[in-house]
């Protein structure tokens, strides 16, 4: 079964249309149709998204179909009739072959003549035996049955470098610090190629020489293997058998990674400069392969350069943690911890469920102690407010809130730096959690929290001030609170805050907050 048929089969098993699958992935229905009819191939990002949607591995989704079993060419009665004579003929043939082998390879027979040197082989034969010259290559079989490969380093031809690969999306071309060189990213669906194009003026003729270097190759598709036969979908045991203790075991690193993984192995060697192959491991199998020329990093991932913190040597086929060290950790401010957690949640797609929970917990727990002005200085955006509003927007767009998170948002309404436009944006967050669960919002107002400012008053005022712009949600929240009051669902203290909240909602509609009490004890 080819990739397109698998996509169609998995989609139908979910009971969804091409249009709905496209909406989940952020692509058009036509794109899904082209994938299913094998007229186009999804790029690497879409392959990962498809695998997650279908709850299968990328290797399973892209697995090359097994060859069909050969059908019987003769009926059973005719095969029985011909079988004995065939056995006799086969026996004679084996005897003749054995006699030939004994004659040609007995001790007193000279060995056969050596093949001609490579330079003497015809162009046709030379093309047939062409093979990678280094370990840093990906090898695969093209659709027409020919073996193809790409390897790092200077290329004899320009993209696609003598292969049948084709772009699945427009090629990215980036300027570099060198006027004579451009950087290219070519997504060919199964293989992502990163290469540089160099133009060099020849003196004194003034002519220009051009060539291209492949700097990195990446794949998450089975069938694209290293010279030692390791591909996406290979087992971790096969990887260890192929590369052994030359590997370096590495913990997950922050930032961009090719594919979700639990950890990865690195294999480095010097080939016109150090290059490295990264084997990403998920649930005991290779989930992706990336190889690149290391340039400034040099021998960073060699067994002689492990740090026993994030990179460990291998010993007898197992990571050697005997000298493991804990990394030195500088004291982090609460604002820095929130920034790190937020950055991980929005930029790192390789987090486990436990990690996502821990980072989310850090953000909500530390909201009351957050310095929003300090947060703005930590981002890479040109304007500090971009980082602040990005976190505000993330908080507002959450699908659900626990009562503990609602309480932290309320107490965070008086955090340092919440003023001006930031205060108005925070009011939008307060109204969001109020509409999400009005009863929980009221209950949280009765919890204890030491603060010099009246966070309860700020929470009620902010939620009412912004909530008036959402008439339908406002009506539903009022109905919920009135039902809770009439049904005696609140304690006396909670009932007081509920009545104050209803009073402020009415004042917001009149746009007149003058003379209103700040706490239930001031109610008439």
């Amino acid at each position: 079964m080819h990739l397109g048929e698998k996509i169609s089969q998995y989609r139908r098993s979910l009971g969804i249309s091409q249009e709905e699958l496209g909406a989940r992935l952020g692509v058009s229905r036509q794109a899904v149709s082209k994938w299913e009819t094998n007229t186009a191939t999804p790029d690497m990002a879409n392959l990962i998204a498809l695998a997650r949607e279908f709850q299968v591995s990328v290797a399973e989704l892209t697995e090359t179909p097994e060859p069909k079993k050969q059908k019987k060419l003769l009926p059973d009665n005719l095969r029985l009739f011909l079988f004995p004579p065939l056995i006799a003929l086969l026996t004679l043939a084996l005897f003749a072959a054995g006699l030939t082998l004994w004659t040609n390879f007995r001790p007193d027979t000279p060995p056969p003549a050596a093949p001609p040197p490579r330079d003497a082989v015809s162009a046709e034969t030379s093309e047939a035996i062409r093979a990678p010259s280094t370990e840093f290559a990906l090898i695969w079989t093209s659709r027409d049955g020919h073996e193809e490969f790409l390897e790092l380093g200077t290329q004899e031809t320009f993209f696609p470098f003598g292969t049948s690969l084709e772009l699945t999306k427009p090629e990215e071309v980036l300027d570099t610090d060198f006027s004579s060189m451009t950087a290219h990213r070519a997504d060919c669906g199964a293989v992502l190629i990163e290469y540089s194009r160099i133009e060099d003026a020849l003196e004194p003729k003034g002519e220009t020489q051009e060539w291209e270097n492949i700097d990195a190759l990446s794949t998450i598709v089975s069938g694209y293997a290293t010279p030692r036969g390791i591909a996406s979908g290979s087992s971790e045991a096969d990887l260890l058998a192929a590369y052994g203790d030359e590997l370096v075991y590495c913990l997950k690193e922050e930032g961009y990674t090719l594919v979700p993984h639990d950890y990865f192995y690195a294999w480095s060697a010097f080939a016109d400069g150090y290059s490295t192959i990264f084997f990403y491991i998920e649930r005991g199998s290779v989930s992706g392969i990336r190889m690149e020329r290391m340039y400034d990093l040099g021998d960073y991932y060699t067994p002689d350069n492990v740090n026993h913190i994030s990179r460990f040597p291998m010993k007898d086929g197992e990571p050697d943690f005997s000298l493991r060290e804990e990394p030195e950790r500088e004291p982090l401010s609460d604002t820095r911890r929130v920034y790190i957690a937020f950055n991980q949640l929005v930029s790192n797609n390789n987090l486990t469920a436990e990690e996502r929970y821990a980072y989310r917990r850090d953000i909500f727990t530390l909201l009351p102690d957050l310095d929003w002005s300090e947060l703005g200085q930590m981002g890479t955006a040109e304007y500090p407010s971009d980082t602040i509003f990005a976190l505000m927007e993330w908080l507002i767009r959450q699908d659900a809130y626990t009562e503990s998170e609602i309480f932290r948002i309320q107490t965070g309404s008086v955090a340092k730096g919440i003023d001006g436009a930031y205060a108005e944006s925070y009011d939008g967050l307060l109204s969001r959690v109020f509409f999400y669960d009005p009863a929980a919002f009221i209950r949280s107002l009765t919890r204890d929290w030491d603060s010099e400012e009246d966070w309860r008053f700020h929470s009620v005022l902010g939620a009412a001030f912004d909530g008036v712009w959402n008439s339908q949600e406002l009506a539903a929240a009022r109905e919920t609170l009135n039902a809770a009051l009439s049904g005696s669902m609140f304690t006396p203290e909670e009932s007081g805050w509920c009545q104050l909240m209803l009073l402020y909602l009415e004042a917001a509609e009149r746009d007149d907050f003058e003379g209103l009490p700040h706490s239930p004890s001031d109610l008439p």
Side-chain angles (χ1 to χ4, degrees):
M1 186 181 297
H2 295 287
L3 176 59
E5 295 170 310
K6 286 189 174 183
I7 294 174
S8 177
Q9 183 184 73
Y10 283 125
R11 175 181 63 78
R12 294 175 187 275
S13 68
L14 292 177
I16 60 176
S17 64
Q18 292 180 340
E19 185 174 4
E20 183 175 348
L21 178 59
R24 293 186 183 185
L25 303 179
V27 301
S28 66
R29 182 197 63 78
Q30 290 82 357
V32 176
S33 176
K34 289 181 179 180
W35 296 343
E36 293 188 354
T37 55
N38 290 306
T39 56
T41 304
D43 59 24
M44 299 180 76
N46 283 320
L47 280 171
I48 295 175
L50 283 166
R52 286 177 174 171
E53 196 66 40
F54 298 148
Q55 297 185 348
V56 298
S57 67
V58 174
E60 183 179 350
L61 180 62
T62 61
E63 185 178 14
T64 304
E66 296 182 0
K68 296 181 179 179
K69 294 183 180 180
Q70 188 174 1
K71 296 182 179 179
K72 295 179 181 180
L73 299 179
L74 296 173
D76 291 341
N77 56 354
L78 188 56
R79 289 190 296 110
L80 290 173
F81 176 76
L82 295 176
F83 188 69
L86 287 175
I87 289 295
L89 290 174
L90 181 60
T91 303
L92 290 175
L94 290 173
F95 176 78
L99 181 61
T100 302
L101 288 172
W102 183 84
T103 303
N104 289 335
F105 294 100
R106 65 183 189 273
D108 59 341
T109 302
R118 186 182 180 93
D119 294 342
V121 180
S122 66
E124 181 179 355
T125 306
S126 177
E127 182 66 23
I129 63 174
R130 182 171 174 266
S133 59
T134 71
E135 292 272 8
F136 302 99
L138 283 177
I139 306 170
W140 69 93
T141 301
S142 66
R143 292 181 179 178
D144 59 5
H146 290 92
E147 185 176 277
E148 297 183 334
F149 72 89
L150 285 176
E151 64 182 318
L152 303 183
T154 303
Q155 305 298 301
E156 297 179 358
T157 58
F158 296 111
F159 177 83
F161 312 115
T163 70
S164 58
L165 294 176
E166 297 178 353
L167 291 171
T168 57
K169 63 172 55 176
E171 184 175 358
E172 297 180 46
V173 182
L174 307 172
D175 292 330
T176 68
D177 294 335
F178 305 97
S179 59
S180 61
M181 184 173 74
T182 53
H184 299 248
R185 285 173 56 88
D187 192 337
C188 299
V191 180
L192 176 65
I193 307 170
E194 299 169 47
Y195 69 94
S196 52
R197 184 181 181 87
I198 300 97
E199 298 182 3
D200 190 18
L202 298 177
E203 300 296 342
K205 297 182 180 181
E207 298 176 353
T208 300
Q209 182 182 16
E210 298 179 347
W211 70 93
E212 293 178 348
N213 295 330
I214 294 182
D215 303 309
L217 294 169
S218 305
T219 185
I220 59 175
V221 179
S222 61
Y224 294 76
T226 69
R228 300 194 189 186
I230 301 301
S232 249
S234 295
S235 69
E236 184 176 6
D238 289 341
L239 170 65
L240 295 175
Y243 290 87
D245 290 353
E246 301 172 44
L247 292 167
V248 172
Y249 176 91
C250 306
L251 301 181
K252 283 195 302 186
E253 296 178 347
E254 295 183 1
Y256 169 79
T257 55
L258 175 66
V259 69
H261 61 280
D262 303 318
Y263 48 88
F264 65 96
Y265 291 96
W267 184 87
S268 298
F270 190 87
D272 190 23
Y274 269 98
S275 294
T276 299
I277 308 177
F278 301 98
F279 299 97
Y280 297 96
I281 304 297
E282 184 179 35
R283 291 178 294 182
S285 296
V286 177
S287 58
I289 298 174
R290 176 177 173 84
M291 54 186 65
E292 63 179 289
R293 306 185 77 177
M294 300 306 292
Y295 295 109
D296 292 342
L297 288 177
D299 60 350
Y300 185 81
Y301 287 101
T302 60
D304 296 330
N305 199 24
V306 297
N307 59 12
H308 299 285
I309 297 174
S310 60
R311 306 186 307 279
F312 301 89
M314 299 291 293
K315 184 176 181 181
D316 299 328
E318 296 285 343
D320 183 4
F321 297 122
S322 60
L323 300 177
R324 183 168 189 166
E325 301 177 8
E326 291 297 324
E328 295 183 6
R329 301 185 183 275
E330 59 176 300
L332 298 177
S333 68
D334 292 333
T335 303
R336 171 64 68 177
R337 289 174 61 192
V338 169
Y339 175 76
I340 291 173
F342 173 58
N343 189 58
Q344 284 293 317
L345 286 172
V346 299
S347 65
N348 190 349
N349 294 324
N350 194 36
L351 296 176
T352 64
E354 291 79 6
E355 289 169 332
R356 297 192 69 83
Y357 170 80
Y359 285 131
R360 180 187 174 100
R361 180 193 58 207
D362 284 349
I363 291 176
F364 282 99
T365 302
L366 297 172
L367 278 179
D369 303 309
L370 182 61
D371 184 338
W372 288 86
S373 299
E374 180 185 347
L375 176 73
Q377 303 301 320
M378 293 179 179
T380 58
E382 181 179 358
Y383 302 103
S385 59
D386 290 351
T387 303
I388 294 173
F389 287 127
L391 177 56
M392 293 274 198
E393 186 69 16
W394 181 87
L395 289 165
I396 291 173
R397 288 186 175 276
Q398 296 310 296
D399 294 332
Y401 304 91
T402 65
E403 288 203 22
S404 177
E405 290 172 344
I406 292 174
F407 172 67
R408 297 297 181 178
I409 290 173
Q410 291 173 337
T411 53
S413 64
V414 293
K416 186 175 181 180
I418 293 289
D419 52 22
Y422 303 151
E424 292 183 9
S425 184
Y426 205 89
D427 288 346
L429 174 60
L430 288 167
S431 68
R432 169 76 174 90
V433 298
F434 170 63
F435 289 143
Y436 172 73
D437 192 337
F441 189 91
I442 297 300
R443 286 193 296 269
S444 295
L445 291 171
T446 64
R447 297 175 64 172
D448 291 332
W449 180 262
D450 293 331
S451 174
E452 295 180 0
E453 295 190 61
D454 192 350
W455 59 271
R456 295 177 177 87
F457 166 69
H458 280 279
S459 299
V460 171
L461 177 63
F465 182 80
D466 185 85
V468 72
W469 302 106
N470 301 277
S471 57
Q472 291 184 343
E473 293 179 306
L474 184 60
R478 271 187 174 144
E479 183 177 350
T480 298
L481 294 184
N482 285 318
L485 281 176
S486 61
S488 301
M489 296 175 58
F490 288 143
T491 65
E493 184 181 5
E494 291 169 351
S495 295
W497 282 107
C498 181
Q499 292 171 9
L500 188 69
M501 185 78 237
L502 290 170
L503 181 64
Y504 268 77
L505 292 175
E506 293 177 1
E509 289 183 314
R510 300 192 310 267
D511 193 21
D512 181 13
F513 294 95
E514 186 176 353
L516 292 181
H518 284 199
S519 71
S521 60
D522 299 328
L523 287 170

